[in-house]
Amino acid sequence: MIVRYPDSVLADDEQLVVHRHPHWKRLIPAVVIFILTSGLASFAAAVVTATTWDPAAKHVICGVIGAIWLVVVGWLTLGPFLNWLTTHFVVTDRRVMFRQGVLTRSGIDIPLARIEHVEFRHGIVDRLLRTGTLTIETAAQDPLEFSDIPRVRQVHTLLYHEVFDTLGSEDSPS
């Protein structure tokens, strides 16, 4: 389930060029934690159920195991998933937008006309997963790095073309 970036954020006649969430590799630790926590909670509940303890004590202990599982899964699994789902890297024909956060939202907009330099970087694992870090440099700020951008080379190329098209350069790539 990929959440579409709301068109209401775009200005009149502004066209969406690319919209990305961070790469799914960010969710691997959350999935591993979910599997391990679920397995451990199931094992603990099975051990408690197999004992000869009082049935009321068994229910209380299983309830505690379930509550601990719920807190761990909610904090270490659901939290990262919601963070991933609400993080957006968007390129339009006018600007680059980055938004993130669940309860507290933050974001940055970079007009294409202010972009001076765009580069990408990815190691061997990132190349296998087709992801990487995109660095955007403007005249006014230190370079901004956006990590885990899926298909970073494609985004780099699209952004490069949009910057040249915005500038109306004669040597704009075709």
Side-chain angles (χ1 to χ4, degrees):
M1 170 176 90
I2 302 280
V3 175
R4 193 166 164 248
Y5 199 73
D7 291 334
S8 62
V9 176
L10 303 178
D12 293 337
D13 299 328
E14 187 173 16
Q15 299 295 316
L16 183 68
V17 175
V18 68
H19 171 226
R20 298 281 193 267
H21 289 280
H23 195 268
W24 57 262
K25 78 176 189 176
R26 279 198 186 172
L27 298 175
I28 292 173
V31 169
V32 169
I33 288 170
F34 177 78
I35 291 169
L36 291 176
T37 305
S38 297
L40 187 61
S42 298
F43 177 76
V47 168
V48 168
T49 304
T51 63
T52 58
W53 298 343
D54 179 50
K58 287 182 186 182
H59 288 301
V60 169
I61 293 173
C62 284
V64 168
I65 291 170
I68 291 171
W69 175 86
L70 191 61
V71 167
V72 170
V73 165
W75 185 264
L76 299 176
T77 301
L78 189 60
F81 176 74
L82 288 176
N83 187 31
W84 173 85
L85 192 63
T86 59
T87 300
H88 302 271
F89 179 82
V90 178
V91 178
T92 71
D93 59 347
R94 295 183 187 175
R95 59 188 166 156
V96 174
M97 295 182 287
F98 182 77
R99 302 283 190 271
Q100 68 179 358
V102 179
L103 298 176
T104 303
R105 303 271 306 154
S106 64
I108 187 168
D109 289 8
I110 306 167
L112 293 180
R114 296 209 178 241
I115 295 175
E116 290 186 351
H117 184 75
V118 180
E119 66 181 56
F120 70 92
R121 179 179 69 250
H122 53 183
I124 292 174
V125 173
D126 284 342
R127 287 170 57 190
L128 290 172
L129 296 175
R130 295 178 31 196
T131 185
T133 300
L134 188 70
T135 305
I136 299 175
E137 189 174 328
T138 65
Q141 300 176 351
D142 290 334
L144 297 169
E145 287 194 353
F146 303 99
S147 59
D148 295 328
I149 302 293
R151 293 175 286 203
V152 69
R153 290 191 323 175
Q154 178 190 26
V155 173
H156 172 264
T157 301
L158 287 171
L159 184 55
Y160 180 79
H161 284 284
E162 287 299 322
V163 168
F164 270 103
D165 289 346
T166 299
L167 296 176
S169 175
E170 292 177 5
D171 52 34
S172 175
S174 49

